[in-house]
Amino acid sequence: MKITALILLCLLAIVGYSQNLEEESEIKPIPIQNESDSLNIDSTNISVFDSSLVNVDTLSSDSIQGDSLAGPKSDIKTTVFYSARDSIVTNILNKKAFLYGDAKVTYGDIELEADEIAINWDLNELEANYTLDSAGEKVGKPVFKEGSQTFEADKIRYNFKTKKGIVSGVITQQGEGFVHGERVKVNEKNESFIDDALYTTCNLPDPHFRIRARKIKMIPEKRVITGPFNLVINDVPTPIGFAFGMFPIPKEKASGVIIPKYGESSDRGFFLRDGGYYWALGDYMGLKFLGEIYTNGSWGTQFNNTYKKRYGFDGNLNFRFNKRIQGEDDEETILEDFWLKWRHSPVQKGTYGGRFSADVSLGSQNYNQRNSFNIDELQTATFNSNIAYSKAIRNTPFSFNSSLRQSQNTRTGVMDVTLPDFNLSMARQSPFKKVRALRKIEPLNKFNISYNGTFRNQLNNRLINTTSVQGIDVRNGVNEREGTDSDVFKANGDNFDLMWERKRIGARHTIPISTSMKVMKYFNLNPGFNYTERWYFQKLEYFDDFRNEGIRVDTLDGFFRTGEWSTSTGVTTRLYGTFFFPKFKGLEAIRHTMIPNISGSYRPDFSKTSNAYQEVVINDTTGETQNLSVFQNGIFGVPAAGESASLNFSLTNILEAKVKKKKDTTDSFDKVKLLENLNVSSGYNFAAEEFGFSNFNVSARTKIGPFDINSNATVDPYVYRLDSIVDDVVYQTKRERYFWNEGFKLSQQVRRYSVNISTKFNPKSFKGGAKPEEESLEDEIPLEELTIQEQEELRYIEENPDLYVDFTIPWNLGLRYTLNRSKNGFEEAVVTQNLQFNGDVKLTNKWKVGFRSALDITKGEFSTTSISIYRDLHCWQMSLNWIPFPSRRASFTFDINVKASILQDMKLSKRNSWYDR
């Protein structure tokens, strides 16, 4: 009978494939005339049900493929694929199929998986159930997927035609939330109506907390709506709740109100902070408006604009303004501060694509001290901003870059603004390289020339001392306002005219020419010539004014140019020395590499030949004259005064060891750098009238175990003579005598010395593993492959690292020690020592403690110190951040909050800050 049935199925398959398979076709079923109306076929392959055909699974034994059975006209609109691990039972007459063991059915964008699935073609229904194993545990609970919606349930019934279903014992995820329900009805709009429902962001079967409601309506990818609900924590009902609830499911950015924080400030009263509105402008831009208000009248506002275009650019613009009122009515003080931050990052497209970028951070001098809670911002004195556009000019060797730059020191109040800086450069060109007849002439083959031109306008808020020019007394100075180099004025709109008067504007053109050649096989000779031309639009003109015991200076406007040139040549090579150690186990050899470099340069005295200088009589009695620069304070300087014929030299040393690999039976070795770099350099100017030797500069870099060590020293070759000490002021004279002829008193000759030792410890550093930062770079996922929501979360984590802790690393410890010493001859040495340390310790799998501080060893004082305690509560997290000292910044913050951003306002916060004292 089974053989007869198989033959009949083959005939039916031929008939089925020869007919028109469209939905309108009328194919009548051919009943099986035998004792059994069903077939039981073991299979693990995929079967197909297409419109009006019931496809029987491929036979596992006979390998009959493509079997199909003609059936009645069906309401199913597309192909149904189904499979099972154990077996598939097909009842042809009743038009039913039963799938057992890891059963799976796919219908369009609908997927259903369960341990048992029943299909009824007449009713267009699916029914899925779990089974029980030998221990009585549920196995293969049904999982239903449609689009972005997923159900996990005890039992699922679904109708293909009406697209309605009934689900029992369901758990479904919507965005960051999970919905539990005893009975769920799903309509044709894919909306779910749930009885005895729970809503939570905890992914455990028995969640730590949930919002319990009698009924919940869920609109996929939009929102979850509840009736009266209350909060349940660890199975304990609480009176916290409301008459209704609505929780968004943000597939895309959504606009909405941001709930403010509340509290009390000791000097400004009760407050509401960080409340406002978020306005979503599609997938590419979002605007956030935040504000804060205090009962004493103080207030603040914040505007934040985040934008992104995939494969194009992304950025963030943030502007903050605070008005703070201090004191009583009679002695009331109003303090107004602002801060602007803008970051714009492009995605480079091709070699010739223009690139616009921005990194701006500027504001009021005291903004961070009065308003910021960020330790880095509090400790940073200088903030830099840059807005730039660059582009390579197609089919030419030229490229240009235009930028606006600003540098601000919040401690001194000094601000420099470059408005604008334009640069045009030509890539190095080798004009003779393509000439076949000259290819074998090495100096011509390697001959190259390039060009670099820069136009710059710079403003600042410094008052320049106008009573002298290069040490000469001046009457009728360059500027009506007088001051010293350290005097500054406020950089604001009211003083812009004063800043404009202080402008430094000009252009510089540089043309370097060079070549190289081999000399005596082992030496490289590198001759070069450099020409520099400067353009200015103002110059000074000097006049004798001995009646007033000085000189008179006038300022002339116009176009002025001046040039200078210099020539140089250098010889370099490499020397190797290898020392073998046959008697030392594991150490094969040590190699010493020396890289000597000798170069000579010549530059004439342009103070006598250049139009950048004017000879001025400074004493009418003696007739003494001096060449003064007519481009005083020029932005690109002036041609150098004084002839220079220098011979410069440097020697670089590298030490490497050849060490046998550990746990290696083969004769393989590793290279270990014992001394990464030891460099000594200096020079001698043969044209100098005195003190021809330059300072000796010594630098060294190495690594000993986990410690990175860097050191630098500057040694003055000339000795000093102590003349006198008056009121702790040292008067001394530099002598034309070398210190190596005076007994090597290096304590007086070392002008500057610094050493920097840093390290970072964690468990991997003891196992020889890669550094955490290296691993993170290798495992980094490209930003454009993340969803918009994931990108926003990643950016939030980067901007708020203190809110997130990596519990996978047991502990981290970072140390950095710096020593700086400066001394000029017999003067008292100025020494500073600083020890910075930071790290964190995982006490348990859920507890972690972090710290960060720095110790000024010289003063015996700690800088701003912070201690953080974190507790991972699975779906919740707890954090305590404490700044114990210095006392003027002492503060703490304590937060318990839900991790999921969808319930970010479900939290408990306590804050006590120096800002509110």
Side-chain angles (χ1 to χ4, degrees), residues 727-753:
D727 296 332
D728 295 331
V729 178
V730 176
Y731 294 91
Q732 57 187 352
T733 303
K734 191 174 184 178
R735 304 173 63 192
E736 186 75 24
R737 295 181 64 84
Y738 304 123
F739 74 87
W740 50 83
N741 294 327
E742 299 292 327
F744 285 92
K745 297 179 181 179
L746 288 179
S747 61
Q748 297 178 5
Q749 305 307 131
V750 178
R751 299 287 300 272
R752 286 180 296 274
Y753 176 75

Side-chain angles (χ1 to χ4, degrees), residues 374-381 383 852:
N374 187 292
I375 293 179
D376 290 332
E377 291 180 349
L378 291 170
Q379 294 180 340
T380 301
F383 294 87
R852 179 179 181 182

Side-chain angles (χ1 to χ4, degrees), residues 379 835 837 853-857 859-865 885-886:
Q379 294 180 340
L835 177 63
F837 48 92
S853 185
L855 172 65
D856 188 330
I857 301 175
K859 296 181 179 179
E861 297 178 355
F862 280 94
S863 66
T864 303
T865 299
F885 44 81

Side-chain angles (χ1 to χ4, degrees), residues 25 64 82 205 212 232 237 324 343 505 508 518 523 557 648 691 735 756 759 796-797 826 840 904:
S25 61
I64 301 175
Y82 57 90
R212 183 174 61 187
V232 179
R324 184 171 181 174
R343 180 194 57 80
I505 185 170
R508 179 180 60 195
K518 286 281 186 180
F523 298 91
D557 294 326
N648 303 305
F691 307 120
R735 304 173 63 192
N756 186 307
T759 185
Y796 185 77
I797 292 172
F826 290 93
D840 51 67
Q904 59 184 332

Side-chain angles (χ1 to χ4, degrees), residues 689-914:
E689 295 181 1
E690 59 179 354
F691 307 120
F693 254 117
S694 302
N695 289 335
F696 286 85
N697 296 304
V698 183
S699 63
R701 184 179 71 251
T702 188
K703 186 172 184 178
I704 301 178
F707 297 96
D708 291 310
I709 304 175
N710 287 274
S711 61
N712 295 275
T714 300
V715 182
D716 192 336
Y718 297 98
V719 298
Y720 288 81
R721 182 185 65 205
L722 178 61
D723 297 328
S724 63
I725 301 177
V726 180
D727 296 332
D728 295 331
V729 178
V730 176
Y731 294 91
Q732 57 187 352
T733 303
K734 191 174 184 178
R735 304 173 63 192
E736 186 75 24
R737 295 181 64 84
Y738 304 123
F739 74 87
W740 50 83
N741 294 327
E742 299 292 327
F744 285 92
K745 297 179 181 179
L746 288 179
S747 61
Q748 297 178 5
Q749 305 307 131
V750 178
R751 299 287 300 272
R752 286 180 296 274
Y753 176 75
S754 66
V755 62
N756 186 307
I757 304 175
S758 62
T759 185
K760 186 172 184 179
F761 297 103
N762 56 44
K764 288 188 177 181
S765 64
F766 293 97
K767 298 178 181 179
K771 295 182 179 179
E773 54 267 25
E774 294 176 350
E775 292 185 348
S776 64
L777 290 175
E778 293 176 358
D779 300 336
E780 185 177 357
I781 301 174
L783 189 65
E784 55 269 14
E785 295 184 10
L786 302 176
T787 65
I788 294 177
Q789 182 178 349
E790 289 171 338
Q791 293 174 22
E792 291 298 323
E793 291 176 354
L794 181 61
R795 182 173 290 112
Y796 185 77
I797 292 172
E798 292 174 347
E799 295 176 354
N800 301 273
D802 293 338
L803 301 180
Y804 297 87
V805 183
D806 186 357
F807 278 86
T808 62
I809 302 176
W811 57 271
N812 275 306
L813 175 63
L815 299 172
R816 180 183 296 273
Y817 169 78
T818 57
L819 167 67
N820 291 281
R821 180 185 184 274
S822 61
K823 188 176 187 295
N824 184 17
F826 290 93
E827 293 179 358
E828 191 72 22
V830 178
V831 180
T832 61
Q833 297 184 76
N834 190 274
L835 177 63
Q836 301 176 24
F837 48 92
N838 64 83
D840 51 67
V841 179
K842 187 173 74 171
L843 303 178
T844 68
N845 290 332
K846 301 297 182 180
W847 283 95
K848 199 162 193 177
V849 178
F851 58 91
R852 179 179 181 182
S853 185
L855 172 65
D856 188 330
I857 301 175
T858 307
K859 296 181 179 179
E861 297 178 355
F862 280 94
S863 66
T864 303
T865 299
S866 65
I867 299 174
S868 304
I869 302 176
Y870 305 92
R871 175 67 164 94
D872 184 1
L873 302 172
H874 188 255
C875 48
W876 291 65
Q877 65 182 8
M878 182 197 74
S879 64
L880 171 65
N881 295 287
W882 177 35
I883 299 178
F885 44 81
S887 58
R888 63 189 180 90
R889 300 203 184 281
S891 62
F892 75 86
T893 61
F894 177 77
D895 295 282
I896 298 179
N897 60 281
V898 176
K899 289 182 179 179
S901 61
I902 192 173
L903 295 178
Q904 59 184 332
D905 294 316
M906 187 178 292
K907 60 185 175 182
L908 174 64
S909 299
K910 175 63 177 177
R911 302 177 184 275
N912 180 17
S913 171
W914 61 271

Side-chain angles (χ1 to χ4, degrees), residues 73-87:
K73 181 177 178 179
S74 173
D75 291 308
I76 298 177
K77 304 299 182 182
T78 185
T79 304
V80 177
F81 297 90
Y82 57 90
S83 64
R85 173 175 51 83
D86 291 343
S87 61

Side-chain angles (χ1 to χ4, degrees), residues 428-646:
R428 184 179 300 176
Q429 301 296 302
S430 303
F432 303 114
K433 197 168 187 177
K434 296 183 180 180
V435 182
R436 181 173 300 178
L438 303 177
R439 286 181 181 175
K440 294 184 179 180
I441 305 176
E442 189 176 18
L444 294 179
N445 183 39
K446 296 184 177 180
F447 177 90
N448 58 74
I449 183 172
S450 60
Y451 165 79
N452 186 281
T454 302
F455 172 82
R456 185 177 299 160
N457 177 35
Q458 191 175 71
L459 311 177
N460 62 70
N461 61 340
R462 297 183 185 90
L463 282 172
I464 296 177
N465 186 351
T466 60
T467 60
S468 67
V469 175
Q470 295 180 213
I472 307 300
D473 288 339
V474 173
R475 303 293 180 265
N476 304 320
V478 182
N479 195 292
E480 296 178 358
R481 300 173 175 86
E482 296 184 357
T484 65
D485 291 340
S486 61
D487 289 338
V488 297
F489 53 87
K490 286 188 177 181
N492 53 31
D494 295 336
N495 293 324
F496 182 78
D497 61 331
L498 183 57
M499 293 184 66
W500 185 254
E501 291 178 13
R502 307 254 51 80
K503 68 180 180 294
R504 303 169 66 204
I505 185 170
R508 179 180 60 195
H509 309 271
T510 304
I511 303 176
I513 302 173
S514 63
T515 186
S516 63
M517 64 194 80
K518 286 281 186 180
V519 178
M520 293 184 293
K521 191 178 180 179
Y522 298 107
F523 298 91
N524 294 318
L525 182 65
N526 306 294
F529 176 85
N530 189 78
Y531 177 77
T532 301
E533 182 167 300
R534 299 171 177 88
W535 293 352
Y536 290 118
F537 301 93
Q538 281 185 340
K539 79 171 185 177
L540 306 181
E541 189 170 12
Y542 303 97
F543 300 93
D544 299 336
D545 190 7
F546 300 117
R547 180 181 303 176
N548 295 315
E549 298 180 351
I551 60 175
R552 182 167 57 88
V553 182
D554 288 342
T555 302
L556 301 180
D557 294 326
F559 175 75
F560 311 98
R561 53 173 296 273
T562 181
E564 66 173 321
W565 60 268
S566 64
T567 184
S568 64
T569 187
V571 178
T572 185
T573 188
R574 282 178 176 261
L575 303 175
Y576 299 95
T578 304
F579 306 91
F580 294 93
F581 300 88
K583 296 183 179 181
F584 285 85
K585 184 178 180 181
L587 177 61
E588 176 73 10
I590 292 179
R591 186 173 76 168
H592 181 200
T593 303
M594 293 186 294
I595 308 174
N597 185 294
I598 301 175
S599 63
S601 63
Y602 175 76
R603 184 198 67 229
D605 182 2
F606 289 100
S607 67
K608 298 178 180 179
T609 60
S610 172
N611 61 352
Y613 292 85
Q614 179 183 341
E615 187 177 27
V616 180
V617 178
I618 61 175
N619 192 316
D620 62 340
T621 303
T622 62
E624 182 183 356
T625 63
Q626 184 171 336
N627 291 322
L628 301 180
S629 170
V630 300
F631 301 121
Q632 175 78 1
N633 202 36
I635 190 171
F636 292 114
V638 294
E643 183 182 16
S644 174
S646 298

